[in-house]
Amino acid sequence: AVGSAAVQLGRVFGAHVTGVCSLKKAPVVQGLGANRVIDYGAQDWRTEPGQYDVVLDTVGGTHFSNTRHKLSPTGRIGLVVADLPLTLKSAWISLFHQQKVYAGSISENSADLQTLVALCEKGQFTPLIGAVFPLQHIVAAHVAADSGHKVGNVVLSLV
């Protein structure tokens, strides 16, 4: 549920957020704070007018070559789903372009976690829970998480 977190955090920090999702998920994305929602089944966001300062791909499929024209001159692309070759290619691209591509894991930072906790306490960020599974149904939880069509986080209950 990186996308649901990104929508909320983008709004908290003053971004104009455009969410790209299925028509079925549009009400959820709008409810999280997106200013605009594009149904990827009806239109390709890359053919829409305008540019973005940040593009965050949480499901895979966005590449610098077919997205570069949508970025502002100093725009950034974040690739949440990236294998080692794509991560290395992203670093290589970023060396030679003013626009940057970020991929791979990030390091944990206690200050960022404290900021997130403070936002939760203020009611400005709420993790989106999509499904809760008891621990003995961990296989079903993995199936749901890996489906590519879940809405929100899949949670395992230890109780």
Side-chain angles (χ1 to χ4, degrees), residues 35-108:
N35 300 91
R36 180 170 180 232
V37 175
I38 298 174
D39 170 15
Y40 66 72
Q43 60 197 102
D44 183 350
W45 66 273
R46 293 170 295 198
T47 63
E48 296 286 312
Q51 291 186 314
Y52 297 94
D53 295 318
V54 177
V55 171
L56 181 64
D57 178 1
T58 63
V59 296
T62 298
H63 298 283
F64 186 70
S65 61
N66 66 10
T67 310
R68 183 175 182 196
H69 70 285
K70 293 302 297 177
L71 291 176
S72 65
T74 57
R76 309 290 191 243
I77 300 174
L79 306 175
V80 174
V81 180
D83 57 11
L84 181 59
L86 184 54
T87 300
L88 295 174
K89 183 177 180 182
S90 298
W92 181 255
I93 290 169
S94 294
L95 286 174
F96 299 101
H97 294 276
Q98 198 171 6
Q99 297 165 321
K100 304 296 180 197
V101 182
Y102 299 98
S105 58
I106 59 170
S107 37
E108 296 157 2

Side-chain angles (χ1 to χ4, degrees), residues 139-159:
V139 173
H142 274 281
V143 169
D146 294 339
S147 72
H149 299 288
K150 69 179 183 60
V151 176
N153 292 289
V154 174
V155 176
L156 287 174
S157 172
L158 302 177
V159 180

